[in-house]
Amino acid sequence: MITSGTGFGTDCANADQLTVQPMTLLRDWLPAPEEPRPLMALATCGRDGYPRVRHVLITEADDTAVYFHTDTRSAKVAELTENPRASVAIAWPAVGRQVVAHGDVRRAPEDELHQAFSRRSRYLQLLAWMNDGDLAALSPEERRRRWADFDVAHPRLSAPPTWTGYAVDLREITFWRGDPDGPSQRVRFTHNDNQWTSEVLPG
């Protein structure tokens, strides 16, 4: 049983922590779709074999995947095209929670692109249109001038052609729960043969 409590580390009854559906629990931890989106650390693998990590806004989660949207010109898109696997992490320090997970990456459905873009702040919408190599090469003053001119000239923006989305189909999810009165705890869920198995780990 998942509870609605927001206390430190609180989410579901202890008796249910190994049997709860992990994607249901993850969605319970995430804010409602109409609320601001949390940051998610996204790690990909570069051609040199070293991991690359950055933060993206998580768009949503469903029964199998977490979704994010980004620019096709970014390094992460090139890395995911070559090696479609990723790790993600989301933390809620104020309520003693963290999720780390990894899985296989695929393109998100095209019909979600414009909806996801419409939820972005005005600043991020402008950034999606403006943030390219040509602008980056200009002086700060010229970048700001062009930014302001574009902002005034385009009061309403739709998703640019470079806007795309990805789903990370999660194969493993680990939930970390803090406890101010005792040791923290982790529960790991692993997806194999169309079912989840779970185990308790040290905190």
Side-chain angles (χ1 to χ4, degrees), residues 121-189:
S121 67
R122 174 66 176 177
Y123 176 85
L124 292 178
Q125 289 181 351
L126 288 167
L127 194 65
W129 275 95
M130 298 287 292
N131 197 25
D132 59 20
D134 291 339
L135 188 71
L138 301 174
S139 68
E141 294 77 14
E142 182 63 13
R143 289 201 303 270
R144 291 170 185 148
R145 186 191 68 78
R146 294 196 184 190
W147 179 281
D149 289 348
F150 187 89
D151 187 10
V152 171
H154 300 84
R156 298 185 66 179
L157 289 171
S158 57
T162 54
W163 182 250
T164 191
Y166 286 92
V168 186
D169 290 312
L170 300 182
R171 300 170 59 90
E172 183 179 292
I173 314 172
T174 301
F175 294 88
W176 177 90
R177 299 172 177 87
D179 184 348
D181 300 316
S184 58
Q185 188 178 67
R186 290 183 296 153
V187 178
R188 180 168 62 200
F189 293 83

Side-chain angles (χ1 to χ4, degrees), residues 27-146:
R27 288 198 301 273
D28 187 63
W29 282 20
L30 292 172
E34 65 273 9
E35 296 177 1
R37 310 319 300 149
L39 285 174
M40 177 176 71
L42 172 74
T44 56
C45 192
R47 285 187 172 183
D48 58 5
Y50 286 97
R52 306 288 197 275
V53 65
R54 78 289 283 165
H55 285 88
V56 297
L57 292 178
I58 181 171
T59 302
E60 63 177 338
D62 60 19
D63 289 340
T64 63
V66 293
Y67 296 80
F68 67 94
H69 289 76
T70 190
D71 194 312
T72 56
R73 298 166 293 185
S74 64
K76 57 183 168 292
V77 167
E79 290 158 1
L80 290 172
T81 300
E82 190 163 305
N83 186 3
R85 294 177 176 178
S87 295
V88 299
I90 313 168
W92 299 263
V95 292
R97 298 176 184 173
Q98 179 178 236
V99 166
V100 294
H102 65 261
D104 300 307
V105 179
R106 57 181 167 85
R107 284 290 181 98
E110 293 291 323
D111 58 5
E112 295 181 355
L113 293 180
H114 294 284
Q115 183 180 20
F117 187 81
S118 70
R119 295 177 183 171
R120 293 294 192 263
S121 67
R122 174 66 176 177
Y123 176 85
L124 292 178
Q125 289 181 351
L126 288 167
L127 194 65
W129 275 95
M130 298 287 292
N131 197 25
D132 59 20
D134 291 339
L135 188 71
L138 301 174
S139 68
E141 294 77 14
E142 182 63 13
R143 289 201 303 270
R144 291 170 185 148
R145 186 191 68 78
R146 294 196 184 190

